[in-house]
């Protein structure tokens, strides 16, 4: 069965609930949690991911309804809220966007607020402000920010470079009935 393009599933103007899954590259020993065969624990990376999720959810119009971090995958149940982002004042959009954009600092380091000059530059640029407002409720941008921050920190810790996760993440439009069925199946 052919895959439906994400832009045909995800509305940029209406709230929606989506199940997203990201997987690390197979066969390369990349992990986001658990313990590897040599006994090295990667469970501290789960804390990094939770920290990043909290930061992004606080700044963006995407709600994290549930999540799971397994040794080689992350699953998220997300609700997009473009209706919220639409009503935020421009200064709020600029501040939130710049915080979310620059959230890829090493985990555990202090995240500084964006300089006032950056906020003023964004407020003066209507195109950039429109793009920021759109991205603040964008499912793909939310997942991309999470995976990039996780990859940067895991690669830094592993002293490696390059891709950390599979090229694509999946998103599925979920009806409430489908969600309940899926949750019941996962519990068994």
């Amino acid at each position: 069965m052919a895959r439906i393009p994400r832009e045909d599933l995800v509305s940029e103007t209406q709230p929606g609930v989506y199940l997203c899954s990201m997987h690390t590259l197979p066969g390369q020993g990349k992990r986001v949690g658990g313990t590897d065969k040599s006994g090295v624990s990667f469970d501290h990376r789960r804390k990094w991911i939770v920290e990043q999720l909290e930061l992004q959810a606080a700044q963006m119009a995407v709600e994290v309804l549930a999540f799971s971090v397994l040794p080689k995958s992350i699953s998220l149940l997300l609700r997009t809220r473009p209706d919220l982002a639409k009503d935020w004042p421009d200064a709020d959009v600029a501040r939130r966007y710049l915080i979310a954009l620059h959230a890829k600092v090493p985990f555990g380091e202090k995240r500084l607020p964006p300089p006032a000059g950056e906020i003023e530059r964004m407020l003066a640029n209507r195109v950039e402000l429109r793009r920021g407002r759109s991205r603040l409720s964008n499912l793909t941008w939310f997942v991309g920010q999470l995976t990039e921050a996780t990859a940067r920190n895991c690669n830094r810790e592993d002293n490696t470079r390059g891709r950390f996760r599979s090229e694509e993440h999946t998103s599925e439009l979920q009806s409430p009935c489908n969600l309940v069925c899926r949750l019941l199946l996962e519990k068994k």
Side-chain angles (χ1 to χ4, degrees):
M1 178 179 209
R3 249 182 147 166
I4 300 171
R6 188 172 295 120
E7 60 266 10
D8 292 346
L9 282 176
V10 180
S11 171
E12 291 190 18
T13 59
Q14 297 295 315
V17 176
Y18 306 93
L19 178 66
C20 300
S21 300
M22 293 134 312
H23 304 275
T24 61
L25 288 169
Q28 294 193 7
K30 306 276 188 174
R31 301 180 77 82
V32 291
T35 305
D36 69 8
K37 292 176 185 172
S38 65
V40 176
S41 174
F42 294 93
D43 287 335
H44 61 286
R45 291 180 176 181
R46 185 180 197 284
K47 182 180 174 200
W48 295 349
I49 293 164
V50 171
E51 181 182 320
Q52 185 69 23
L53 281 171
E54 288 171 349
L55 173 81
Q56 287 181 212
Q59 300 308 320
M60 297 178 68
V62 176
E63 298 169 349
V64 179
L65 302 177
F67 69 92
S68 172
V69 180
L70 299 175
K72 292 194 169 219
S73 68
I74 304 168
S75 295
L76 304 167
L77 185 59
L78 303 172
R79 177 184 295 133
T80 57
R81 295 297 309 271
D83 54 320
L84 293 179
K86 180 184 71 150
D87 294 334
W88 287 336
D90 290 350
D92 208 19
V93 168
R95 181 187 56 77
R96 287 170 176 271
Y97 176 72
L98 292 169
I99 289 171
L101 182 64
H102 299 295
K104 295 178 284 241
V105 299
F107 287 112
E109 289 189 14
K110 184 173 170 73
R111 290 170 167 82
L112 300 174
E118 266 191 81
I119 293 173
E120 295 303 319
R121 271 191 298 281
M122 187 167 177
L123 288 171
N125 185 337
R126 303 306 298 173
V127 173
E128 186 65 22
L129 192 61
R130 196 174 320 115
R131 178 184 3 228
R133 187 179 304 276
S134 173
R135 285 182 172 176
L136 286 173
S137 62
N138 185 287
L139 181 73
T140 300
W141 202 69
F142 185 93
V143 172
Q145 291 294 100
L146 174 66
T147 55
E148 184 178 346
T150 303
R152 285 176 183 260
N153 284 282
C154 291
N155 284 344
R156 184 179 296 114
E157 184 179 74
D158 296 343
N159 200 24
T160 60
R161 297 181 60 159
R163 289 191 335 193
F164 187 83
R165 65 174 175 89
S166 297
E167 188 60 34
E168 293 187 14
H169 59 273
T170 59
S171 306
E172 298 174 27
L173 184 61
Q174 298 291 313
S175 70
C177 180
N178 191 359
L179 286 175
V180 171
C181 292
R182 179 171 256 173
L183 291 171
L184 289 173
L185 287 172
E186 288 180 6
K187 284 192 167 206
K188 291 187 177 192

